Each structure stands twice: as C-alpha cells, then as structure tokens.
Amino acid sequence: MKVRDSGMPDEEMWEKFFDPEKTLKTLGVGNKTGDVAEFGCGYGTFTIPAAKMIKGKIFAIDIEPEMISITEKKKKGAGLDNIIPVLRDFISEGSGLKDNSVDYVMLFNILHLENPVDLLLEAKRILKIGGKIGIIHWNYDQTTPRGPAMGIRPKPQDCLNWALEAGFVEPTKYDLKPYHYGIVLSKKEN
Ligand SMILES: C[S@@+](CC[C@H](N)C(=O)[O-])C[C@H]1O[C@@H](n2cnc3c(N)ncnc32)[C@H](O)[C@@H]1O
C-alpha cells in the first residue's frame, strides 16, 4: 500500500527543495556511518549523496518501479557499488532486512503515513543498538511549495512523540531551512 499523498512532482522541481549533502551531514551521516536503510528513496535525491559519504552500503527501498529504476540509473552513472535498490512495499511487507543489521535509517518526507509508529518500530527492529534514525519532514506551514496536505502533515512534535513511543531516545531537533525540519534519535535497546 502506497503512503498516502506520496506522489512526487517532477524530479527537477523536487531536487530544488533540498541541499542533500548539507542535510545528511547535519543529521549525522558521514564517513563513520556503516550500513543504511532508506524508506522511500524516491528519485535517489538523498540516496546518491549518502552512498558517497558512508563507508557501508545503503538499501534504497521504494514501491514504485520508476523510482527504483531512476535510482539504479543514477547509481550506475555515479559508479557507486554500495547502493542496493529494493523494489518493495514496506507497509505491507516490511523492509525485509534482518534484525539489528543497519547503523542508520533514513525516514525522509515519509512520516505522514497512516501508521507512523509501525514504520518506526520496523526501523527500530532493523537498527543495531547504538544506531540512529534521521527523520526529515516538510515544515508545518501551508506556504511550503510542496508537502502533504495540512490535514495529514505531521508537526515536529508529532514525529517526536511517535519516535519516543516506538522506543527511540536522545532526540535532537534541527531546522533545515527553508522548508524542512529534522530529528535524529538513537536506539539504545531492543
Ligand atoms: C515523498 S517521496 C520522498 C522520497 C525521498 N525520501 C526524498 O525525500 O526525496 C515518498 C517516496 O516513498 C515511496 N513510497 C510510498 N509508499 C511506499 C511503500 N508503501 N513502500 C515503499 N515505498 C513507498 C514513494 O514511491 C515515493 O518515492
């Protein structure tokens, strides 16, 4: 089942909204980061820069064959061999990754789904103890140029509460100007 309101504008427009390297760095992704899972990779906007920064591999999951094929093409174009594109519905099938197997989970522009705590629990399941999740989402502000409908758009406090409910700890919040906010939390126990 596709996340509600998760259709994408064209790639050129989408990529203007982000400074992926800066965002990833701010959210603690870097050359010490091991394996990463990304839920909903879209155009690979964050996948490609993340793959260049980390020492591990990145599982880039998306339900749309078009998004997987675009990400695959960009991977080849950039000569990266540490991206594993995964065509999969993470709502009905989960991520398919093993328990305690990755170091970082990217939940970028995705937590407006119907059951956010379930997704956060799946993220927690696959994270190693000491691993981190990075959440980003559109500001709760109707003037942003894109973003889910305001009726289903989470506020930063919603994302934080859901992540704490799922058992994550030690939150740090970030203002990712101009249109987004970020939250990083840790997994300290299974
Ligand atoms: C709003 S886009 C965000 C893309 C990317 N995270 C970014 O920030 O650039 C959401 C992505 O999630 C994918 N998606 C939606 N529902 C999904 C599901 N159930 N399983 C896997 N991917 C899904 C969509 O196809 C889309 O590419």
Side-chain angles (χ1 to χ4, degrees):
M1 192 180 86
K2 196 163 171 179
V3 171
R4 57 189 177 172
D5 216 349
S6 69
M8 298 280 269
D10 70 53
E11 187 175 355
E12 202 190 330
M13 177 193 269
W14 182 257
E15 303 221 320
K16 281 196 185 121
F17 300 139
F18 303 98
D19 183 341
E21 285 84 4
K22 190 172 168 197
T23 293
L24 287 161
K25 229 192 215 173
T26 302
L27 301 186
V29 176
N31 59 11
K32 295 197 178 85
T33 309
D35 292 343
V36 175
E38 181 183 21
F39 286 76
C41 65
Y43 295 118
T45 309
F46 293 91
T47 321
I48 304 297
K52 290 180 182 165
M53 294 162 82
I54 63 176
K55 64 178 180 186
K57 48 190 180 302
I58 176 164
F59 297 92
I61 307 168
D62 208 285
I63 196 172
E64 288 288 348
E66 190 196 350
M67 296 299 165
I68 290 297
S69 126
I70 291 170
T71 302
E72 183 83 59
K73 216 179 267 171
K74 287 184 175 172
K75 164 190 166 168
K76 288 203 180 110
L80 292 163
D81 59 9
N82 63 338
I83 300 177
I84 299 144
V86 182
L87 177 63
R88 191 175 176 99
D89 176 349
F90 58 67
I91 293 184
S92 62
E93 304 174 288
S95 64
L97 299 174
K98 291 193 183 129
D99 293 356
N100 304 299
S101 62
V102 301
D103 301 276
Y104 198 101
V105 171
M106 288 159 55
L107 297 175
F108 288 7
N109 301 303
I110 202 77
L111 270 191
H112 54 286
L113 77 173
E114 267 161 21
N115 295 301
V117 176
D118 289 352
L119 182 59
L120 286 154
L121 286 169
E122 173 64 358
K124 184 162 174 258
R125 181 187 69 75
I126 64 173
L127 269 173
K128 295 176 189 167
I129 290 176
K132 291 187 189 296
I133 44 164
I135 295 168
I136 80 169
H137 222 318
W138 291 92
N139 288 340
Y140 191 76
D141 169 359
Q142 61 183 8
T143 66
T144 57
R146 289 288 300 191
M150 293 309 290
I152 60 165
R153 195 183 297 200
K155 295 179 180 148
Q157 193 62 42
D158 295 325
C159 293
L160 180 58
N161 291 345
W162 296 328
L164 296 174
E165 188 182 333
F168 288 99
V169 295
E170 298 178 350
T172 309
K173 295 187 204 170
Y174 300 93
D175 184 358
L176 305 171
K177 284 184 187 346
Y179 304 125
H180 291 80
Y181 59 88
I183 311 174
V184 175
L185 298 102
S186 299
K187 167 175 166 173
K188 292 291 183 195
E189 56 184 27
N190 279 317

Short mmCIF file of all heavy atoms in Angstrom, two decimals, residues 1-3 5-8 14 18 38-43 45-46 61-64 67 88-91 108-110 112 136, ligand 1:
data_model
loop_
_atom_site.label_atom_id
_atom_site.label_comp_id
_atom_site.label_asym_id
_atom_site.label_seq_id
_atom_site.Cartn_x
_atom_site.Cartn_y
_atom_site.Cartn_z
N MET A 1 0.84 -1.19 0.00
CA MET A 1 0.00 0.00 0.00
C MET A 1 0.88 1.25 0.00
O MET A 1 1.76 1.37 0.84
CB MET A 1 -0.86 -0.02 1.26
CG MET A 1 -1.95 1.01 1.23
SD MET A 1 -2.92 0.95 2.75
CE MET A 1 -1.96 1.98 3.81
N LYS A 2 0.63 2.10 -0.94
CA LYS A 2 1.46 3.31 -1.05
C LYS A 2 1.11 4.30 0.07
O LYS A 2 -0.05 4.45 0.43
CB LYS A 2 1.23 3.94 -2.43
CG LYS A 2 2.28 4.93 -2.79
CD LYS A 2 2.31 5.26 -4.25
CE LYS A 2 3.24 6.44 -4.44
NZ LYS A 2 3.40 6.85 -5.79
N VAL A 3 2.12 4.95 0.60
CA VAL A 3 1.90 6.00 1.61
C VAL A 3 0.99 7.06 1.02
O VAL A 3 1.20 7.51 -0.11
CB VAL A 3 3.26 6.63 2.02
CG1 VAL A 3 3.04 7.86 2.89
CG2 VAL A 3 4.14 5.61 2.72
N ASP A 5 -0.69 10.42 -0.11
CA ASP A 5 -0.13 11.71 -0.52
C ASP A 5 1.40 11.65 -0.71
O ASP A 5 2.12 12.54 -0.28
CB ASP A 5 -0.49 12.78 0.52
CG ASP A 5 -0.77 14.13 -0.12
OD1 ASP A 5 -0.48 14.29 -1.32
OD2 ASP A 5 -1.25 15.04 0.59
N SER A 6 1.88 10.55 -1.34
CA SER A 6 3.33 10.44 -1.51
C SER A 6 3.75 10.48 -2.98
O SER A 6 4.84 10.05 -3.33
CB SER A 6 3.88 9.17 -0.83
OG SER A 6 3.46 8.01 -1.50
N GLY A 7 2.87 10.99 -3.83
CA GLY A 7 3.24 11.19 -5.23
C GLY A 7 4.27 12.29 -5.32
O GLY A 7 4.32 13.18 -4.47
N MET A 8 5.12 12.22 -6.33
CA MET A 8 6.22 13.18 -6.45
C MET A 8 5.99 14.14 -7.61
O MET A 8 5.47 13.73 -8.66
CB MET A 8 7.52 12.41 -6.71
CG MET A 8 7.90 11.47 -5.60
SD MET A 8 8.67 12.37 -4.27
CE MET A 8 10.38 12.25 -4.76
N TRP A 14 11.55 18.70 -7.58
CA TRP A 14 11.77 18.10 -6.26
C TRP A 14 13.17 18.41 -5.74
O TRP A 14 13.37 18.78 -4.59
CB TRP A 14 11.54 16.57 -6.33
CG TRP A 14 11.70 15.87 -5.01
CD1 TRP A 14 12.75 15.13 -4.60
CD2 TRP A 14 10.75 15.86 -3.92
NE1 TRP A 14 12.52 14.65 -3.33
CE2 TRP A 14 11.31 15.08 -2.89
CE3 TRP A 14 9.49 16.44 -3.72
CZ2 TRP A 14 10.66 14.86 -1.67
CZ3 TRP A 14 8.84 16.22 -2.51
CH2 TRP A 14 9.42 15.44 -1.50
N PHE A 18 15.98 20.85 -1.82
CA PHE A 18 16.89 20.25 -0.84
C PHE A 18 18.35 20.58 -1.11
O PHE A 18 18.75 20.80 -2.24
CB PHE A 18 16.74 18.71 -0.86
CG PHE A 18 15.34 18.26 -0.60
CD1 PHE A 18 14.49 17.93 -1.65
CD2 PHE A 18 14.86 18.20 0.70
CE1 PHE A 18 13.18 17.54 -1.40
CE2 PHE A 18 13.55 17.81 0.95
CZ PHE A 18 12.71 17.47 -0.11
N GLU A 38 16.99 3.20 3.69
CA GLU A 38 16.20 4.39 3.37
C GLU A 38 14.80 3.93 2.96
O GLU A 38 14.63 3.17 2.00
CB GLU A 38 16.86 5.15 2.21
CG GLU A 38 16.11 6.41 1.84
CD GLU A 38 16.73 7.14 0.65
OE1 GLU A 38 17.47 6.52 -0.14
OE2 GLU A 38 16.44 8.34 0.50
N PHE A 39 13.79 4.41 3.68
CA PHE A 39 12.40 4.01 3.40
C PHE A 39 11.78 5.04 2.45
O PHE A 39 11.50 6.16 2.85
CB PHE A 39 11.60 3.95 4.70
CG PHE A 39 11.92 2.74 5.55
CD1 PHE A 39 13.08 2.68 6.28
CD2 PHE A 39 11.05 1.66 5.59
CE1 PHE A 39 13.39 1.56 7.05
CE2 PHE A 39 11.33 0.54 6.36
CZ PHE A 39 12.51 0.49 7.09
N GLY A 40 11.58 4.64 1.19
CA GLY A 40 11.02 5.55 0.20
C GLY A 40 12.12 6.41 -0.39
O GLY A 40 12.27 7.58 -0.03
N CYS A 41 12.90 5.83 -1.30
CA CYS A 41 14.10 6.57 -1.79
C CYS A 41 13.74 7.60 -2.85
O CYS A 41 14.54 8.48 -3.14
CB CYS A 41 15.14 5.59 -2.33
SG CYS A 41 14.61 4.68 -3.80
N GLY A 42 12.54 7.48 -3.45
CA GLY A 42 12.16 8.45 -4.49
C GLY A 42 13.18 8.50 -5.60
O GLY A 42 13.64 7.46 -6.10
N TYR A 43 13.54 9.71 -6.00
CA TYR A 43 14.49 9.90 -7.11
C TYR A 43 15.94 9.63 -6.72
O TYR A 43 16.85 9.93 -7.50
CB TYR A 43 14.40 11.34 -7.62
CG TYR A 43 13.07 11.71 -8.25
CD1 TYR A 43 12.28 12.72 -7.69
CD2 TYR A 43 12.63 11.07 -9.40
CE1 TYR A 43 11.07 13.08 -8.28
CE2 TYR A 43 11.42 11.43 -9.99
CZ TYR A 43 10.64 12.43 -9.43
OH TYR A 43 9.45 12.78 -10.01
N THR A 45 17.35 11.26 -4.39
CA THR A 45 17.84 12.61 -4.04
C THR A 45 18.85 12.56 -2.89
O THR A 45 19.86 13.28 -2.92
CB THR A 45 16.63 13.50 -3.63
OG1 THR A 45 15.64 13.40 -4.65
CG2 THR A 45 17.03 14.93 -3.38
N PHE A 46 18.53 11.73 -1.89
CA PHE A 46 19.43 11.60 -0.74
C PHE A 46 20.28 10.33 -0.82
O PHE A 46 21.32 10.25 -0.19
CB PHE A 46 18.62 11.61 0.57
CG PHE A 46 17.97 12.93 0.84
CD1 PHE A 46 16.67 13.20 0.38
CD2 PHE A 46 18.64 13.94 1.51
CE1 PHE A 46 16.07 14.44 0.61
CE2 PHE A 46 18.05 15.18 1.75
CZ PHE A 46 16.75 15.42 1.30
N ILE A 61 14.82 1.59 -0.55
CA ILE A 61 13.55 0.86 -0.75
C ILE A 61 12.51 1.80 -1.34
O ILE A 61 12.33 2.93 -0.84
CB ILE A 61 13.03 0.33 0.61
CG1 ILE A 61 14.10 -0.49 1.32
CG2 ILE A 61 11.74 -0.47 0.42
CD1 ILE A 61 13.77 -0.82 2.77
N ASP A 62 11.83 1.35 -2.36
CA ASP A 62 10.69 2.12 -2.89
C ASP A 62 9.68 1.18 -3.53
O ASP A 62 10.04 0.14 -4.09
CB ASP A 62 11.13 3.19 -3.89
CG ASP A 62 10.18 4.38 -3.91
OD1 ASP A 62 9.06 4.24 -4.47
OD2 ASP A 62 10.52 5.44 -3.35
N ILE A 63 8.42 1.58 -3.49
CA ILE A 63 7.34 0.77 -4.05
C ILE A 63 7.17 1.00 -5.55
O ILE A 63 6.56 0.19 -6.24
CB ILE A 63 6.02 1.11 -3.30
CG1 ILE A 63 4.94 0.08 -3.53
CG2 ILE A 63 5.51 2.50 -3.67
CD1 ILE A 63 3.69 0.27 -2.66
N GLU A 64 7.72 2.12 -6.05
CA GLU A 64 7.49 2.49 -7.45
C GLU A 64 8.64 2.00 -8.33
O GLU A 64 9.79 2.46 -8.17
CB GLU A 64 7.41 4.02 -7.58
CG GLU A 64 6.16 4.64 -7.02
CD GLU A 64 4.92 4.35 -7.87
OE1 GLU A 64 5.06 3.86 -9.01
OE2 GLU A 64 3.82 4.61 -7.37
N MET A 67 10.84 4.80 -9.62
CA MET A 67 11.80 5.40 -8.67
C MET A 67 13.02 4.49 -8.50
O MET A 67 14.16 4.96 -8.44
CB MET A 67 11.13 5.63 -7.30
CG MET A 67 10.00 6.62 -7.36
SD MET A 67 10.60 8.26 -7.90
CE MET A 67 9.07 9.06 -8.32
N ARG A 88 9.97 -2.69 -3.21
CA ARG A 88 9.24 -3.36 -2.12
C ARG A 88 8.25 -2.40 -1.47
O ARG A 88 8.51 -1.20 -1.40
CB ARG A 88 10.29 -3.80 -1.08
CG ARG A 88 9.76 -4.71 -0.02
CD ARG A 88 10.91 -5.17 0.86
NE ARG A 88 10.40 -5.98 1.94
CZ ARG A 88 10.41 -7.31 1.95
NH1 ARG A 88 10.95 -7.99 0.97
NH2 ARG A 88 9.89 -7.97 2.97
N ASP A 89 7.16 -2.95 -0.99
CA ASP A 89 6.17 -2.19 -0.23
C ASP A 89 6.47 -2.37 1.25
O ASP A 89 6.20 -3.42 1.82
CB ASP A 89 4.76 -2.73 -0.57
CG ASP A 89 3.67 -2.06 0.24
OD1 ASP A 89 3.97 -1.33 1.21
OD2 ASP A 89 2.49 -2.28 -0.10
N PHE A 90 7.05 -1.33 1.84
CA PHE A 90 7.46 -1.51 3.24
C PHE A 90 6.28 -1.46 4.20
O PHE A 90 6.40 -1.83 5.36
CB PHE A 90 8.57 -0.52 3.65
CG PHE A 90 8.22 0.94 3.50
CD1 PHE A 90 7.26 1.54 4.26
CD2 PHE A 90 8.90 1.72 2.58
CE1 PHE A 90 6.96 2.89 4.13
CE2 PHE A 90 8.62 3.07 2.42
CZ PHE A 90 7.64 3.66 3.20
N ILE A 91 5.12 -1.01 3.73
CA ILE A 91 3.95 -1.01 4.63
C ILE A 91 3.40 -2.43 4.78
O ILE A 91 3.20 -2.92 5.88
CB ILE A 91 2.85 -0.05 4.13
CG1 ILE A 91 3.34 1.39 4.22
CG2 ILE A 91 1.56 -0.23 4.96
CD1 ILE A 91 2.32 2.43 3.85
N PHE A 108 12.74 10.05 5.36
CA PHE A 108 12.73 11.41 4.82
C PHE A 108 11.44 11.67 4.06
O PHE A 108 11.13 11.00 3.06
CB PHE A 108 13.93 11.59 3.87
CG PHE A 108 15.27 11.67 4.56
CD1 PHE A 108 15.42 11.44 5.92
CD2 PHE A 108 16.41 11.99 3.84
CE1 PHE A 108 16.66 11.51 6.55
CE2 PHE A 108 17.66 12.08 4.45
CZ PHE A 108 17.79 11.84 5.80
N ASN A 109 10.68 12.62 4.55
CA ASN A 109 9.43 13.04 3.89
C ASN A 109 8.45 11.88 3.75
O ASN A 109 7.79 11.73 2.73
CB ASN A 109 9.75 13.66 2.51
CG ASN A 109 10.66 14.84 2.63
OD1 ASN A 109 10.34 15.80 3.34
ND2 ASN A 109 11.82 14.79 1.99
N ILE A 110 8.34 11.08 4.79
CA ILE A 110 7.54 9.86 4.70
C ILE A 110 6.64 9.63 5.92
O ILE A 110 5.71 8.82 5.85
CB ILE A 110 8.49 8.64 4.46
CG1 ILE A 110 7.79 7.46 3.83
CG2 ILE A 110 9.22 8.21 5.71
CD1 ILE A 110 7.53 7.60 2.38
N HIS A 112 4.16 10.95 7.13
CA HIS A 112 2.73 11.32 7.10
C HIS A 112 1.87 10.10 6.79
O HIS A 112 0.69 10.22 6.50
CB HIS A 112 2.48 12.44 6.08
CG HIS A 112 2.98 12.14 4.71
ND1 HIS A 112 4.32 12.17 4.39
CD2 HIS A 112 2.34 11.77 3.57
CE1 HIS A 112 4.47 11.85 3.12
NE2 HIS A 112 3.28 11.59 2.60
N ILE A 136 13.26 13.55 8.39
CA ILE A 136 13.02 14.93 7.96
C ILE A 136 11.59 15.02 7.44
O ILE A 136 11.02 14.04 6.95
CB ILE A 136 14.04 15.49 6.93
CG1 ILE A 136 13.77 15.03 5.52
CG2 ILE A 136 15.45 15.21 7.30
CD1 ILE A 136 14.61 15.81 4.51
C1 LIG B 1 7.53 11.96 -0.82
S1 LIG B 1 8.59 10.77 -1.56
C2 LIG B 1 10.10 11.01 -0.64
C3 LIG B 1 11.30 10.47 -1.35
C4 LIG B 1 12.63 10.64 -0.63
N1 LIG B 1 12.59 10.08 0.70
C5 LIG B 1 13.00 12.09 -0.57
O1 LIG B 1 12.81 12.71 0.48
O2 LIG B 1 13.49 12.63 -1.59
C6 LIG B 1 7.98 9.25 -0.92
C7 LIG B 1 8.51 8.01 -1.62
O3 LIG B 1 8.04 6.85 -0.90
C8 LIG B 1 7.63 5.88 -1.81
N2 LIG B 1 6.63 5.03 -1.15
C9 LIG B 1 5.35 5.34 -0.85
N3 LIG B 1 4.74 4.32 -0.24
C10 LIG B 1 5.66 3.31 -0.16
C11 LIG B 1 5.62 1.98 0.35
N4 LIG B 1 4.50 1.50 0.91
N5 LIG B 1 6.72 1.21 0.24
C12 LIG B 1 7.86 1.70 -0.33
N6 LIG B 1 7.96 2.96 -0.82
C13 LIG B 1 6.87 3.76 -0.73
C14 LIG B 1 7.05 6.68 -2.98
O4 LIG B 1 7.02 5.90 -4.17
C15 LIG B 1 7.99 7.86 -3.05
O5 LIG B 1 9.07 7.63 -3.91
#
